[in-house]
């Protein structure tokens, strides 16, 4: 009983897995493509680098300790010769030795470390947005591939419907040939048309198979060519030209980074205060006239201020302002390009809506014409070639309708993607 239950559960799970793979949505394809895309790994790497750099900058606030050693011999030393009776002035040794620890602690660095940490944060944001733009382009490529497959599939569906209709008509024509009502060439023409459609279907299926392979490569899974791709339902309610794309945020982050770079050139000129200490052992110690080894120490504070930089700060600020102006120009150019693309998307949407209305009217008229031509062919009034001319015109009208319907959804999606939503 337990074994039977286990087999039943496995069968159900397998059925659910197969069912889940029978249908794919555009959202699923986009999500899986982004998850697998190699550049996705860079997100964690960028974050890791950012954290390590922040930790490195925090070290600026910690005491800096170094161990130093020195042994010297000099050709001459300072001598003191004073004519004082009964007093002999000591002389310095020409060889000197010392080993000591240096300790320094920043008390005030003018805000340099704080500004560098902010710059590190902004640099990470810029890199993350640059990566996001690359991933955004992957979404656009997957969307284009997804819809190209659907368009070809709709074409195949229509070709098979027309093929079935011609085959049905062929049976009646062959019957007419046997009865002497129609010539055999009419049947040959229909057979040739069926072969032509089969050839077109083969070519289309080859294109579909290649599309599914590419789609599977993007998602790192095997996608069966029988998998149904659902057409997403889209309905655009607003038609504004606002720009929410990652490129727009990237420009803002780059400009913020430039502003803090300007601030960094300012804080570098501020006075800096540090405490220091030194402890060591050597000959001589702090008593320079001693000829024995001795320990020593000293503590103090140090103030440094580089107030003269020969216009370096002024030039740095000019360079940053010029770079900021370049970014502003690039952003304006990008915004204009996005606005033009959005206008084109809206024009395409309106065009396809109008085309669909015309397509419906054309299909209605062409259906009547084909129905009449079908009757005329069966009665020997027209040839199979003339019938196929009208049937192909109806096929073209139906194909245009399906194509415009899919392209309308694609144009609506392009509008949403172009806006950055």
């Amino acid at each position: 009983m337990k074994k039977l239950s286990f087999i039943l559960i496995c069968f159900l799970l397998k059925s659910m897995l197969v069912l889940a793979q029978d249908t794919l949505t555009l959202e699923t394809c986009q999500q899986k493509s982004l998850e697998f895309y190699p550049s996705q790994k860079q997100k964690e790497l960028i974050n890791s680098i950012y954290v390590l750099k922040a930790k490195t900058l925090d070290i600026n606030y910690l005491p800096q300790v170094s161990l130093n050693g020195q042994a010297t011999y000099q050709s001459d030393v300072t001598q003191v010769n004073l004519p004082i009776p009964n007093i002999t002035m000591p002389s310095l040794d020409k060889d000197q030795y010392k080993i000591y620890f240096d300790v320094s602690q920043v008390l005030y660095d003018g805000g340099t470390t704080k500004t560098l940490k902010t710059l590190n944060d902004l640099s990470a944001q810029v890199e993350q947005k640059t990566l996001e733009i690359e991933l955004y382009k992957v979404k656009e490529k997957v969307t284009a591939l997804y819809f190209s497959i659907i368009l070809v599939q709709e074409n195949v569906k229509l070709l098979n419907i027309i093929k079935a209709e011609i085959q049905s008509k062929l049976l009646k024509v062959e019957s007419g040939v046997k009865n002497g009502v129609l010539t055999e060439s009419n049947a040959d023409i229909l057979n040739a048309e069926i072969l032509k459609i089969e050839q077109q279907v083969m070519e289309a299926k080859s294109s579909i198979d290649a599309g599914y392979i590419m789609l599977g490569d993007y998602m790192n899974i095997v996608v069966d060519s029988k998998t149904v791709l659902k057409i997403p339902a889209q309905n655009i309610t607003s038609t504004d030209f606002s720009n929410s794309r990652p490129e727009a945020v990237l420009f803002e982050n780059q400009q913020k980074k430039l502003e803090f770079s300007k601030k960094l050139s300012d804080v570098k000129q501020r006075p800096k205060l540090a405490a220091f200490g030194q402890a060591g052992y050597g000959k001589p110690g702090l008593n320079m006239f001693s000829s024995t080894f001795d320990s020593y120490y000293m503590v103090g504070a140090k103030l440094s201020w580089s107030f003269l930089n020969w216009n370096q700060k002024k030039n740095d600020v000019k360079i940053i302002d010029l770079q900021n102006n370049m970014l502003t120009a690039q952003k304006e150019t990008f915004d204009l390009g996005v606005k033009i693309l959005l206008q084109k998307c809206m024009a395409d949407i309106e065009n396809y809506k109008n085309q669909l209305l015309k397509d419906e009217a054309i299909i209605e008229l062409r259906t009547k014409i084909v129905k009449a031509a079908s009757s005329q062919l069966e009665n020997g009034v027209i040839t199979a070639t003339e019938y196929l001319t009208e049937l192909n015109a109806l096929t073209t009208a139906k194909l245009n309708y399906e194509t415009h319907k899919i392209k309308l959804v694609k144009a609506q999606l392009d509008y949403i993607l172009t806006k950055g939503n």
Side-chain angles (χ1 to χ4, degrees), residues 105-117:
Q105 171 66 59
V106 173
L107 301 178
Y108 174 71
D109 66 354
T112 302
T113 301
K114 183 180 178 181
T115 305
L116 286 172
K117 291 183 73 173

Side-chain angles (χ1 to χ4, degrees), residues 68-132:
N68 305 283
Q70 182 177 315
T72 62
Y73 180 86
Q74 55 197 67
S75 60
D76 201 0
V77 294
T78 303
Q79 294 182 357
V80 181
N81 296 318
L82 296 175
I84 302 175
N86 300 321
I87 295 179
T88 302
M89 298 299 295
S91 62
L92 301 177
D93 291 336
K94 292 184 178 181
D95 58 322
Q96 298 182 7
Y97 311 91
K98 60 180 175 179
I99 183 169
Y100 58 94
F101 284 100
D102 266 331
V103 182
S104 63
Q105 171 66 59
V106 173
L107 301 178
Y108 174 71
D109 66 354
T112 302
T113 301
K114 183 180 178 181
T115 305
L116 286 172
K117 291 183 73 173
T118 304
L119 278 172
N120 178 46
D121 184 33
L122 290 171
S123 295
Q125 291 178 27
V126 167
E127 291 182 26
Q128 291 285 11
K129 279 299 168 185
T130 303
L131 176 60
E132 190 176 328

Side-chain angles (χ1 to χ4, degrees), residues 129-176:
K129 279 299 168 185
T130 303
L131 176 60
E132 190 176 328
I133 291 168
E134 184 179 347
L135 295 175
Y136 202 82
K137 291 177 181 177
V138 173
K139 286 180 69 175
E140 292 176 332
K141 289 178 182 178
V142 169
T143 301
L145 177 60
Y146 188 92
F147 276 91
S148 68
I149 295 172
I150 290 176
L151 279 170
V152 181
Q153 285 177 332
E154 291 300 321
N155 191 9
V156 170
K157 287 180 185 177
L158 187 56
L159 286 172
N160 285 327
I161 291 171
I162 299 303
K163 176 186 171 184
E165 188 171 338
I166 295 175
Q167 287 174 331
S168 175
K169 185 60 60 183
L170 177 62
L171 293 175
K172 294 180 180 179
V173 169
E174 286 175 342
S175 176

